[in-house]
Amino acid sequence: RKEVEQDPGPFNVPEGATVAFNCTYSNSASQSFFWYRQDCRKEPKLLMSVYSSGNEDGRFTAQLNRASQYISLLIRDSKLSDSATYLCVVRGNTGKLIFGQGTTLQVKP
Amino acid sequence: DAGVIQSPRHEVTEMGQEVTLRCKPISGHNSLFWYRQTMMRGLELLIYFNNNVPIDDSGMPEDRFSAKMPNASFSTLKIQPSEPRDSAVYFCASSPLRDTEAFFGQGTRLTVV
C-alpha cells in the first residue's frame, strides 16, 4: 500500500466549477500536511499547509481528518490558471516528506 | 534568496557512464531531499538528510545510486553506472525544520541513451 494515495484523475471541469480532491495516508504518526501544485515540466510548489482545524486561502480550502487519515482540498470558482497537478504531501515524525501520485486538473473555458 | 540550486539542468549521457547531480540548498535549511520523478511512478523520495546526516535512504533504487552531503551547503547524487531506466527528472528540495514545507530546485532532466 502506498504511504500517500490520491485519485490521479484527470478532473475536467468548466470554469467557475467547484472541485474537490481527496487523499489518504497510512502513517498515523504523520505530523505535517501540505498541498503542492505542479505545472507541466516545472518543480512542485507549495499551495498551502493543512491544519487540523481546517484552513482557507482565498478560493482554496483544506481539511484534515486525523482519525480517518484523510486530507482534502476544495477549489471554488475554478479558473483556467488552476489547471495543474495537485500533490498531497505528508511529513512523518522522522521528517520524511512523502508525496502522493498527484491529481490532474484541467479547467476548460 | 536564490532558492535551491541544482546543476546541471539537463544531462544526456550514454549507458554505463557515471552521472553526478549537484544541489545547493537554501542557506540555513537543515533538511535536504532528493526525489526522482517519472510519468509512471510519480515523485519518489530517494534519500533524506537532516543536519547533513542521511536519515532515510530506503528509496535509493540500488547500489548504483549514492548520495552525499559533505556540508550544509552542498549535496550530490551519483549514478554509476547509469542505465536507460534511470532517465527521469531528479529534484532536490530543502526545508528549514523537520515539520515545515520543502522548497524545490528546478530539477535535472537526465536522459541515458
Side-chain angles (χ1 to χ4, degrees):
Chain A
R1 183 188 171 189
K2 290 183 180 178
E3 292 185 67
V4 180
E5 298 211 51
Q6 292 181 252
D7 178 349
F11 283 56
N12 295 299
V13 303
E15 270 187 294
T18 295
V19 61
F21 304 138
N22 303 316
C23 166
T24 57
Y25 60 96
S26 60
N27 183 359
S28 60
S30 298
Q31 295 189 331
S32 308
F33 309 90
F34 311 94
W35 283 100
Y36 275 67
R37 170 188 169 133
Q38 186 174 25
D39 293 291
C40 188
R41 301 180 77 84
K42 298 283 191 179
E43 72 274 23
K45 292 184 178 178
L46 178 71
L47 177 67
M48 59 195 301
S49 300
V50 187
Y51 304 116
S52 297
S53 55
N55 48 299
E56 191 173 300
D57 182 1
R59 298 182 293 110
F60 299 83
T61 300
Q63 298 274 358
L64 168 64
N65 184 323
R66 285 186 183 269
S68 303
Q69 296 179 204
Y70 172 90
I71 307 163
S72 66
L73 176 68
L74 185 77
I75 305 175
R76 291 182 299 279
D77 188 23
S78 300
K79 311 290 185 192
L80 296 175
S81 57
D82 294 334
S83 298
T85 296
Y86 291 84
L87 299 155
C88 176
V89 186
V90 174
R91 193 150 192 188
N93 53 344
T94 64
K96 187 174 166 180
L97 195 65
I98 301 297
F99 282 72
Q101 187 81 353
T103 300
T104 301
L105 173 66
Q106 184 68 45
V107 181
K108 299 189 180 299
Chain B
D1 197 323
V4 177
I5 300 172
Q6 290 187 246
S7 64
R9 292 290 309 279
H10 301 273
E11 176 82 31
V12 180
T13 191
E14 291 185 347
M15 184 173 64
Q17 296 298 306
E18 177 179 298
V19 175
T20 299
L21 310 182
R22 296 173 175 79
C23 175
K24 177 178 168 53
I26 294 172
S27 177
H29 281 198
N30 295 328
S31 296
L32 183 138
F33 307 86
W34 282 101
Y35 291 90
R36 176 173 69 177
Q37 188 172 39
T38 60
M39 286 293 292
M40 289 296 294
R41 302 175 67 90
L43 202 58
E44 300 174 280
L45 176 63
L46 299 178
I47 188 167
Y48 156 50
F49 291 88
N50 194 57
N51 292 324
N52 312 337
V53 175
I55 302 300
D56 190 324
D57 65 355
S58 58
M60 295 287 264
E62 49 198 271
D63 291 346
R64 296 185 299 106
F65 285 69
S66 62
K68 293 182 179 180
M69 192 164 185
N71 57 61
S73 58
F74 184 66
S75 177
T76 59
L77 178 68
K78 187 177 293 187
I79 308 172
Q80 166 63 20
S82 58
E83 296 182 3
R85 60 192 169 117
D86 300 330
S87 298
V89 180
Y90 291 80
F91 287 107
C92 176
S94 70
S95 73
L97 298 169
R98 279 174 45 150
D99 60 353
T100 56
E101 73 272 23
F103 298 84
F104 279 73
Q106 292 183 296
T108 295
R109 186 170 296 275
L110 174 65
T111 304
V112 184
V113 298

